[in-house]
Amino acid sequence: METVVSGIRPTGNLHLGNYFGAVKSFLQMQNEYNCYFFIADWHSLTTRPKPENIVNSARTILTEYLACGIDPDKATIYTQSDVPEVLELYLYLNMNAYLGEMERCTTFKEKARKQPDNVNAGLLTYPTLMAADILIHKAVKVPVGKDQEQNMEMARKFARRFNAVYGVDFFPEPSSFSLAAKAVKIPGLDGSGKMGKSEGNCIYLMDDAVTIRKKVMKAVTDAGPTAPYSEKPEVIQNLFTFLDIVSSKETYDFFDEKWNDCSIRYGDLKKQLAVDIAAFNAPIRERILEYSANTAWLDKIARQGAEKAHESAAKTIKEVREIIGFRTY
Ligand code: TRP
């Protein structure tokens, strides 16, 4: 079975955009590949988060991914900082990473521009840490968003370079597996193109029926169709995209007909949509509440994930040490 690795930025609660993007792909991949999904808490240190936030957001991510259906008996789900072998590989990769190429990375340049008073070496070497995350399990496939393409190219370059420097054929070159290509794009309900944290328009999996209703009722609409069978403007299409995802076909067709004969009432559509989103969320939300109350179980899952990841990582590091010339006793 081919090995897949993907890192999750610990940025708080999951929203519907995350669910229909990364999470759904992960759910499918865990049945088809040997998957390692990890919470990238070391990466998050480039921006100096508070200690209590690090622990809490790693826990939130673990809980919510499990509630979505990531199965710890199929996939290995772990926290990056539980697997110190990653850091050792990070050091080795850094020894063959050149200042010039690191400085030229657009992600580095962007981050340096965003935090000019904290352009730290961790920011510069973000791509080698990411390469270490992937290569530590000798992964061949990495599900990532489009914004990670350059980091993936660096990972391939570091894998090739390691092999060339030591004259071995050890690390496979990991290929990107585009999440965007497979995912249903979830729009924002505020008229902006997509649902996202930075857009501030998210419906979270944790949201209850009342919260969802409030958010959906505020969705941007227009003055209504002026001619039968007219094309839907973007804000209206967005509502229909949602119906398509969470509602029954009957519901979708009902409102589509109303649109086509110009008798649509957006208030009714929104009420129905809110009910259907809440129904979609309900079982996930219940599991999130149940799991987060069961800290002993979460600890066990975290430990089990760390052990499985450690086992794979230790095997790679042992071989890497031998290749580099360190003796193992
Ligand atoms: N850089 C990725 C992001 O910002 C997160 C990440 C870290 C990652 N290490 C990884 C993704 C390894 C895939 C593989 O989303």
Side-chain angles (χ1 to χ4, degrees), residues 89 92-93 135-140 158-160 162-164 166-173 312-324:
L89 184 56
Y92 300 143
L93 296 177
L135 300 179
I136 198 74
H137 302 300
K138 300 174 91 174
V140 293
F158 296 138
R160 273 198 304 275
F162 181 93
N163 291 345
Y166 295 104
V168 290
D169 184 15
F170 184 68
F171 286 123
E173 276 185 48
S312 152
K315 182 166 177 286
T316 304
I317 278 297
K318 183 171 182 293
E319 292 178 69
V320 166
R321 282 178 151 255
E322 277 160 15
I323 291 168
I324 291 180

Side-chain angles (χ1 to χ4, degrees), residues 5 51 60 78 80 110 156 173 210 221 245 252 254 262 279 304 314 320 326 329:
V5 165
T60 303
Y78 66 102
Q80 187 185 32
E110 251 171 56
R156 286 189 279 274
E173 276 185 48
V210 175
T221 52
I245 292 163
Y252 182 94
F254 175 82
C262 299
Q304 179 187 316
V320 166
F326 293 123
Y329 301 93

Side-chain angles (χ1 to χ4, degrees), residues 5-298:
V5 165
S6 197
I8 304 156
R9 260 173 295 166
T11 50
N13 300 91
L14 290 175
H15 55 73
L16 286 171
N18 298 135
Y19 184 85
F20 288 99
V23 181
K24 258 195 118 173
S25 293
F26 287 7
L27 291 177
Q28 200 185 333
M29 287 185 143
Q30 69 178 351
N31 296 318
E32 296 163 12
Y33 298 97
N34 176 28
C35 290
Y36 293 89
F37 302 130
F38 70 93
I39 300 154
D41 58 349
W42 272 326
H43 285 277
S44 75
L45 294 182
T46 53
T47 57
R48 291 201 194 120
K50 292 203 171 63
E52 59 271 28
N53 290 348
I54 293 185
V55 183
N56 292 341
S57 60
R59 263 303 139 100
T60 303
I61 295 289
L62 177 65
T63 308
E64 297 200 352
Y65 271 80
L66 293 170
C68 287
I70 296 292
D71 180 346
D73 291 327
K74 289 182 185 163
T76 302
I77 182 158
Y78 66 102
T79 301
Q80 187 185 32
S81 63
D82 282 341
V83 185
E85 287 84 359
V86 172
L87 284 187
E88 187 169 340
L89 184 56
Y90 170 58
L91 180 134
Y92 300 143
L93 296 177
N94 273 331
M95 295 300 172
N96 293 306
Y98 302 112
L99 183 58
E101 64 187 349
M102 304 306 279
E103 282 175 329
R104 277 195 300 279
C105 286
T106 44
T107 42
F108 170 69
K109 285 194 271 190
E110 251 171 56
K111 285 181 189 165
R113 195 170 42 75
K114 273 196 205 145
Q115 50 183 74
D117 48 1
N118 184 17
V119 185
N120 57 68
L123 212 52
L124 184 73
T125 57
Y126 187 108
T128 45
L129 182 53
M130 180 158 158
D133 294 327
I134 297 165
L135 300 179
I136 198 74
H137 302 300
K138 300 174 91 174
V140 293
K141 278 204 174 67
V142 183
V144 278
K146 236 181 150 192
D147 60 333
Q148 297 299 308
E149 221 13 83
Q150 195 174 33
N151 285 336
M152 285 305 300
E153 267 166 40
M154 297 301 279
R156 286 189 279 274
K157 192 189 271 187
F158 296 138
R160 273 198 304 275
R161 197 173 288 158
F162 181 93
N163 291 345
V165 166
Y166 295 104
V168 290
D169 184 15
F170 184 68
F171 286 123
E173 276 185 48
S175 60
S176 328
F177 184 93
S178 167
L179 287 172
K182 296 256 181 316
V184 185
K185 206 171 125 209
I186 302 298
L189 289 176
D190 54 355
S192 72
K194 73 181 244 273
M195 184 176 286
K197 283 249 159 59
S198 45
E199 284 79 6
N201 60 6
C202 297
I203 296 175
Y204 294 97
L205 297 175
M206 254 308 274
D207 284 346
D208 59 17
V210 175
T211 311
I212 292 169
R213 191 179 155 114
K214 268 190 211 145
K215 289 182 179 177
V216 174
M217 294 317 282
K218 272 196 278 186
V220 177
T221 52
D222 64 0
T226 48
Y229 291 92
S230 44
E231 203 186 310
K232 297 183 186 93
E234 195 184 348
V235 286
I236 304 306
Q237 183 51 51
N238 285 349
L239 291 173
F240 276 89
T241 301
F242 263 103
L243 285 179
D244 193 29
I245 292 163
V246 297
S247 306
S248 68
K249 188 177 180 310
E250 290 71 37
T251 303
Y252 182 94
D253 291 345
F254 175 82
F255 287 107
D256 198 39
E257 261 172 50
K258 297 262 173 202
W259 165 267
N260 283 332
D261 68 14
C262 299
S263 68
I264 193 158
R265 287 162 47 159
Y266 293 139
D268 292 348
L269 186 158
K270 287 179 182 178
K271 270 181 221 152
Q272 183 63 45
L273 182 57
V275 168
D276 292 343
I277 294 177
F280 174 83
N281 273 12
I284 301 177
R285 183 184 142 75
E286 275 160 31
R287 282 195 294 271
I288 296 174
L289 295 173
E290 182 195 326
Y291 295 172
S292 48
N294 196 346
T295 48
W297 181 74
L298 281 176

